[in-house]
Amino acid sequence: MLSHTVLRASRRGLRKVHTAARARLGRAEVTVGTVAATLALGVTAYGVLTSSEIYNDAESANTKTETTLRSLEPTTVTNVDGNSVLQTVGWGTNRSNVLSLDAAEGADIVVPTSLRFLEGVALRDLALHGHHGACVDARGDVYQWGLGFFGGNDHAGNQRPTRTLKGKNIIKLQATDSRVFALSSSGQVYVVSAKHNKVSSAGISGWLWGERGDSDAVELETAQKLVWGEKIVDLAAGRDHLLALTSSGRTFALPVTLKANSHGQLGFRKIDIPSPSSKERIAGELTPLAVVDPYANASRFSRRLSTSSSDDLRPVSESLRGLDDSSIHWSNRLFEIPALRSVRVAGIAAGARSSYARSDNGRVLAWGANDHGQLGLRNTVLGDTVTVPTEVVFPHDTSCTSVAAGGDLAFFSTEKRDGTGIVTTELYACGDGRYGGLGNAIFTSAQATPARTRAVSGLLEYSEANGNLQPISARALSVSADGHILCTLDTRSRAGPGGGGMDLLAWGNNYEHQLGNGKRASVAVPESVVAKPGGARYMLHEMKAREVRDLQGKVWGRYVKVEQVAYAGMGTSVVYWKLV
């Protein structure tokens, strides 16, 4: 056996030798863990980080300027072992103080840096929007922060995360511009305002139900009753709509605002909402603009003149016009998507204006906006709106294992088995690749045919347990609404003795340093995230933490199993410790 073999990588990221293809490695020296004797045949296992140090541009307690953030020398953050204090690391823009609570607003954090307000905590989930952030601590309570939440610089002295939902045992969050959606372990879905002035102090300590103001949380109900034992198990939020999946494979959708069905992303038109002045409900329709006015995007030369008034072409029915859709009470009911009632759905994803559902047999249905080809329907659909769930076609004998979406991008993780029993995995992408988000080395504004993402597709390694080649697949994929992606490769499950880390790759939009490479140029091919420019590649680990605290600073548990998870927010990237 060979160990401690040193590979030198090229500048543009992770070059790996395997039997199927060559992928690219980031610029770094890496140490490869124990590999099988078949290395001579060209099968190479991923290595693990030899150094136990993670570097960052540390910020001082009184940092107020971008210059100070940029000029500090890298310092050691932590050693990855059970005796270490848990550190959450982030980089990208500090727009609205979402990453750093006391640093200057708008200052960019150009390399992975410790986020002090999350020190010593392990989270259940994290959601970062453009101007506000939210997380669930170990106790299952929701905290919110950011200038968008506090209302601007007038509240600069009160930037600590504020607890806004307590005692609900929350396990998952989704955020939009005006709301935060929280899913409890028992399947209830709660809506909390993204504005601090719409959350009362009474609501922080114990929600006052029954008030008609914006001072409490709203628990969503389903328009169609759930069967005995059925509960909601997953959420996915777009810009103006929310998808929900139940344990029985049923799919529901919620109109978040009046624009929720602008491109048919809801999968239905008829809704009803509570009346602001009575206990009755108001029925109405949200019609896609392309249905109301098929010539909306046509030039004046080719546009058919209409004798109807402009009001007749509005996509919102008369009964819904004039209502305030900024309130969390505006819509409180999830509606089942009619076209999916006979489909058992295993996974959901939501882009900004599009929706995706993966069935339990590996098929994918997509609907909503298609102006960048983000539905992956190839050239079979030419319009920019698809109102009915339509199947995404993959190569023969290929099944989809997961779907991820964000903004105008969508990714499909697939696997294919040949006659030898060897499984190969591929990652396909479609949509808006102007910032390199497709990962295929091409910058293009529209990609309707799912394109193979390089460096993370077709990877194989030898498994001594199985006696054959096994795929290296994407363990997790986080897609930001601004067009950058963080991909965690499962290089830990078969790493062998001394292994245990997972490679973290990033690509796409980098205008706000969200790739963490110290540059602003966008990257069209997946490359390794490095702990500092020119340093070793960043590896994600799991361990038993000696101590886990909640966001009140109280010890929640000891010797708890946690793992590092990468999250791509709007202009930001974060690696945090998550409870396993």
Side-chain angles (χ1 to χ4, degrees):
M1 291 189 177
L2 300 178
S3 60
H4 303 292
T5 302
V6 178
L7 301 177
R8 292 190 177 274
S10 63
R11 178 183 298 268
R12 293 191 62 84
L14 196 56
R15 175 169 309 217
K16 180 169 174 58
V17 181
H18 53 78
T19 58
R22 287 187 179 180
R24 295 185 176 179
L25 251 190
R27 183 185 179 185
E29 282 193 2
V30 299
T31 299
V32 177
T34 303
V35 298
T38 53
L39 181 64
L41 298 177
V43 181
T44 305
Y46 272 85
V48 296
L49 185 63
T50 57
S51 173
S52 60
E53 295 181 344
I54 299 174
Y55 297 88
N56 73 299
D57 281 352
E59 57 191 79
S60 65
N62 297 320
T63 299
K64 294 295 181 183
T65 65
E66 181 176 3
T67 304
T68 306
L69 274 173
R70 293 175 178 272
S71 63
L72 291 178
E73 292 295 327
T75 58
T76 300
V77 175
T78 183
N79 296 321
V80 181
D81 59 58
N83 293 321
S84 304
V85 176
L86 299 179
Q87 297 278 355
T88 296
V89 179
W91 58 94
T93 180
N94 196 40
R95 178 177 53 236
S96 298
N97 286 9
V98 172
L99 282 184
S100 179
L101 304 182
D102 53 0
E105 179 189 1
D108 286 352
I109 302 176
V110 299
V111 295
T113 302
S114 178
L115 307 183
R116 293 179 176 173
F117 71 101
L118 292 177
E119 184 176 290
V121 303
L123 304 177
R124 295 188 180 188
D125 203 10
L126 175 72
L128 302 180
H129 206 263
H131 301 287
H132 63 93
C135 71
V136 185
D137 71 354
R139 295 191 188 276
D141 297 335
V142 177
Y143 290 78
Q144 295 174 253
W145 67 90
L147 294 183
F149 173 70
F150 287 112
N153 286 306
D154 293 340
H155 300 81
N158 182 26
Q159 292 295 292
R160 300 299 302 172
T162 300
R163 185 166 60 190
T164 55
L165 191 56
K166 178 184 178 182
K168 302 300 181 183
N169 200 18
I170 302 301
I171 58 174
K172 186 177 180 65
L173 292 179
Q174 291 286 282
T176 66
D177 184 60
S178 61
R179 297 163 173 82
V180 173
F181 297 91
L183 174 64
S184 73
S185 60
S186 56
Q188 282 79 33
V189 181
Y190 302 94
V191 188
V192 184
S193 175
K195 306 293 183 182
H196 182 264
N197 59 0
K198 295 184 178 182
V199 178
S200 69
S201 58
I204 294 174
S205 60
W207 295 101
L208 298 178
W209 302 99
E211 296 183 6
R212 290 299 300 152
D214 260 334
S215 61
D216 55 352
V218 172
E219 181 179 350
L220 299 183
E221 59 184 35
T222 57
Q224 294 77 24
K225 290 185 178 180
L226 302 182
V227 300
W228 178 260
E230 184 181 18
K231 66 177 183 178
I232 296 176
V233 294
D234 197 11
L235 299 177
R239 183 182 301 166
D240 297 288
H241 74 295
L242 177 78
L243 300 179
L245 177 65
T246 74
S247 55
S248 298
R250 298 166 66 188
T251 309
F252 290 77
L254 171 82
V256 177
T257 70
L258 288 169
K259 298 179 181 178
N261 208 34
S262 61
H263 291 75
Q265 59 266 43
L266 285 180
F268 52 82
R269 301 182 192 177
K270 295 182 178 180
I271 67 169
D272 59 75
I273 61 175
S275 171
S277 57
S278 68
K279 294 183 179 181
E280 303 295 327
R281 298 190 69 86
I282 302 174
E285 288 192 18
L286 299 177
T287 307
L289 182 59
V291 175
V292 176
D293 185 8
Y295 301 95
N297 295 324
S299 66
R300 295 184 62 184
F301 177 77
S302 61
R303 180 180 173 85
R304 180 184 301 172
L305 296 178
S306 173
T307 57
S308 303
S309 66
S310 59
D311 287 342
D312 293 334
L313 297 179
R314 294 177 64 181
V316 179
S317 59
E318 181 65 32
S319 59
L320 301 178
R321 297 178 188 176
L323 298 178
D324 181 16
D325 61 356
S326 65
S327 168
I328 61 175
H329 295 276
W330 179 78
S331 177
N332 66 344
R333 181 172 287 181
L334 291 156
F335 300 89
E336 187 173 8
I337 300 175
L340 299 180
R341 284 175 181 165
S342 60
V343 180
R344 185 177 177 87
V345 175
I348 54 175
R353 302 161 297 145
S354 53
S355 303
Y356 306 84
R358 178 180 62 86
S359 68
D360 58 357
N361 60 359
R363 302 170 73 177
V364 176
L365 298 171
W367 65 101
N370 195 42
D371 45 357
H372 294 280
Q374 58 264 48
L375 298 185
L377 302 179
R378 304 177 184 269
N379 296 323
T380 58
V381 177
L382 300 179
D384 65 353
T385 298
V386 177
T387 60
V388 178
T390 306
E391 184 172 0
V392 180
V393 179
F394 298 106
H396 183 62
D397 291 334
T398 298
S399 62
C400 181
T401 57
S402 66
V403 182
D408 294 323
L409 280 168
F411 291 83
F412 311 99
S413 297
T414 66
E415 67 176 22
K416 182 177 181 180
R417 298 178 183 270
D418 58 19
T420 64
I422 296 178
V423 179
T424 56
T425 60
E426 307 282 345
L427 182 64
Y428 291 96
C430 57
D432 185 1
R434 288 177 295 173
Y435 307 108
L438 299 173
N440 63 348
I442 299 176
F443 295 88
T444 180
S445 60
Q447 179 69 40
T449 300
R452 187 173 180 268
T453 300
R454 299 187 179 185
V456 293
S457 296
L459 302 181
L460 296 169
E461 65 180 352
Y462 185 80
S463 170
E464 292 183 349
N466 296 305
N468 62 3
L469 297 175
Q470 295 291 316
I472 302 175
S473 58
R475 167 73 178 272
L477 197 68
S478 183
V479 185
S480 171
D482 64 10
H484 81 281
I485 299 92
L486 296 179
C487 176
T488 304
L489 285 182
D490 186 11
T491 52
R492 181 175 62 197
S493 60
R494 290 181 290 272
M502 294 188 293
D503 284 275
L504 179 61
L505 307 180
W507 68 94
N509 190 351
N510 196 32
Y511 288 0
E512 296 176 303
H513 296 102
Q514 53 264 60
L515 299 187
N517 58 8
K519 304 175 183 178
R520 283 190 181 272
S522 297
V523 177
V525 176
E527 64 177 21
S528 292
V529 175
V530 295
K532 64 175 182 177
R537 72 183 193 269
Y538 202 102
M539 305 291 288
L540 305 186
H541 296 267
E542 68 175 16
M543 67 178 182
K544 282 191 174 181
R546 181 187 61 183
E547 183 179 274
V548 171
R549 295 180 177 271
D550 60 18
L551 278 177
Q552 296 288 321
K554 300 177 181 178
V555 176
W556 173 82
R558 300 184 188 276
Y559 300 102
V560 180
K561 190 175 182 180
V562 295
E563 67 176 358
Q564 287 180 301
V565 173
Y567 175 83
M570 294 183 66
T572 59
S573 297
V574 174
V575 174
Y576 66 96
W577 290 98
K578 184 174 184 177
L579 295 174
V580 177

